[in-house]
Amino acid sequence: MTNNGRAPSDYSNTNTIESAVAAAATAAYGTSQINMSKQTRSFFDLKTKTDNRIDTNNPTIADVPHLTEQILSTTFQHALEYTKNDTPYDNEIPLFWTFGTTMDHMCKRLMQCFPNIVQVSGGTIAGSTLEEAIRKFPMDVKLLQQKISLGEYDGTASMDDGGKYVNVDLFTPQGVQRAADLRLLFPSRQYPLIREHDYSPVVTSSISDTTTTNTNTASSQINLLVSPFPPETVNGLFSTATTTATNINVGSSPPKAKVHAIMLPTSHSIRNYHSMHLSKGGTSTFLEFITSPSILVNNYVTRILSGQWEAGSQVTEIHLEVAKNIISRKIHMWPNRGVQDMFSVWANTYGWEEGALKHREQLLQQMQLSNNELVLGMECLFPPPDPNLPPPVHAPPPAPSELDIEINRIISERNALDDKLFLYVIQLYDSWMA
């Protein structure tokens, strides 16, 4: 893929603001280091070739349908459209697009609380064991199984049959490219399941309680993809158009992604971006950060959904309408207050909850434990309040300083479109849950 006039990506530069967003922003500026040119065309290729009459910096309301269809057919070409209460398609895999939200801890908890599912993610979710497994098996896809801690059982006891993940890292551009090269979503066989660290094979009749009869499809072996990259970047995982391999399998239908995402209030997101900037070696103060030319602090979500990724490009109410169209059709965007509902939808739609409870029963029998000594599933992921503890008391926030007031003003002025988009996401969420 060429840069098409975009700034080149430099994933090794940890001192830039853009590199702080888990490579999502740098992927948006250009994906030249991920060689997807034979697997997918970029939105910018098509945007310049299909209709040169559209001024993408100053589109009109009449351009909204055309721009929407361009993005749906490129960036989201392998994403399924969704409706309320829809039934999973054959070979459907949920893709959690994090785009800079700090959800690593929840994905890690998901692995611990649903040891019956297989997750493909990266970052800190699997930790150093993932890096070790990638080094150990650079040319093969392996499913690794953690030990499950019995926690309150005796404080130290643990056993196998814990969470499962794949030796692929979707949080780096190199990892995404490797996953595409390994044809991760086109297995010709059942992927081998091995133990962490000792890498001993697991003798089991299935790799997941959600496994279907056809173990050579992606969705029967992989239950969740997690990545901060735009769906355009991970398109190569789903594409078979140019492959010459004869040993791949698409099952009864090619794999498709059902895209989910969490949208936070703008001020919350920007503070997360700044924290990531500092963690990557950046030195900007928060005030310097929010007044910088970075797209992260200027209607970032509206930009990445409407194709206005270049720094300095204009973003308008028309782009907001395009972003709304994308969300209403191909991204199940949840507001931050809907996090538990999102995981609940996954658990029930894909059979994860039922599988976790079956897995729990098997472990209780094997270890001869009582019923309350092991909790899995949604009750593990979102424990109910302890009835023996008093309700938490939240102290009122301190009065904002003059600097706080000025910072909030700047954030609001520079992110008015994202604030409107967040209200739209809340409206959709309320309609879904009604």
Side-chain angles (χ1 to χ4, degrees), residues 141-143 186-193 202-208 211-217 220-221 249:
V141 176
K142 302 287 187 181
L143 305 182
F186 299 90
S188 60
R189 57 185 172 82
Q190 182 170 316
Y191 287 137
L193 178 63
V202 178
V203 179
T204 179
S205 59
S206 67
I207 61 169
S208 168
T211 301
T212 64
T213 55
N214 185 355
T215 58
N216 288 345
T217 62
S220 67
Q221 303 198 54
N249 175 70

Side-chain angles (χ1 to χ4, degrees), residues 251-378:
S252 56
S253 64
K256 292 288 185 179
K258 184 65 68 73
V259 182
H260 293 257
I262 295 288
M263 187 172 185
L264 306 177
T266 305
S267 59
H268 190 164
S269 295
I270 290 177
R271 292 184 186 279
N272 284 344
Y273 299 153
H274 183 245
S275 296
M276 293 178 185
H277 161 71
L278 296 177
S279 71
K280 298 294 183 178
T283 59
S284 299
T285 67
F286 190 62
L287 183 59
E288 292 170 338
F289 183 75
I290 63 173
T291 55
S292 75
S294 171
I295 64 171
L296 300 178
V297 293
N298 182 213
N299 296 301
Y300 178 58
V301 182
T302 301
R303 285 178 175 279
I304 61 178
L305 294 180
S306 63
Q308 291 299 91
W309 290 337
E310 294 108 324
S313 61
Q314 297 296 314
V315 61
T316 68
E317 293 279 350
I318 302 303
H319 296 107
L320 174 62
E321 292 305 310
V322 175
K324 288 180 178 179
N325 287 346
I326 302 301
I327 288 176
S328 67
R329 291 177 58 179
K330 284 204 171 183
I331 306 178
H332 202 144
M333 187 80 77
W334 302 81
N336 55 320
R337 74 185 192 196
V339 170
Q340 183 169 346
D341 291 317
M342 180 186 74
F343 283 102
S344 180
V345 165
W346 293 351
N348 292 311
T349 300
Y350 300 106
W352 299 354
E353 178 74 0
E354 180 181 0
L357 297 181
K358 289 181 179 179
H359 194 89
R360 175 179 176 273
E361 289 301 318
Q362 294 172 356
L363 292 178
L364 290 176
Q365 292 177 13
Q366 292 173 17
M367 296 295 293
Q368 297 182 345
L369 304 176
S370 63
N371 194 52
N372 63 350
E373 288 179 313
L374 179 63
V375 178
L376 295 177
M378 287 299 295

Side-chain angles (χ1 to χ4, degrees), residues 187-251:
S188 60
R189 57 185 172 82
Q190 182 170 316
Y191 287 137
L193 178 63
I194 58 179
R195 304 293 191 201
E196 277 188 343
H197 303 301
D198 63 3
Y199 303 115
S200 58
V202 178
V203 179
T204 179
S205 59
S206 67
I207 61 169
S208 168
D209 292 326
T210 58
T211 301
T212 64
T213 55
N214 185 355
T215 58
N216 288 345
T217 62
S219 62
S220 67
Q221 303 198 54
I222 295 171
N223 305 109
L224 177 66
L225 304 174
V226 184
S227 179
F229 287 100
E232 176 198 19
T233 304
V234 298
N235 273 341
L237 296 180
F238 295 86
S239 176
T240 59
T242 60
T243 183
T244 58
T246 59
N247 63 338
I248 67 169
N249 175 70
V250 298

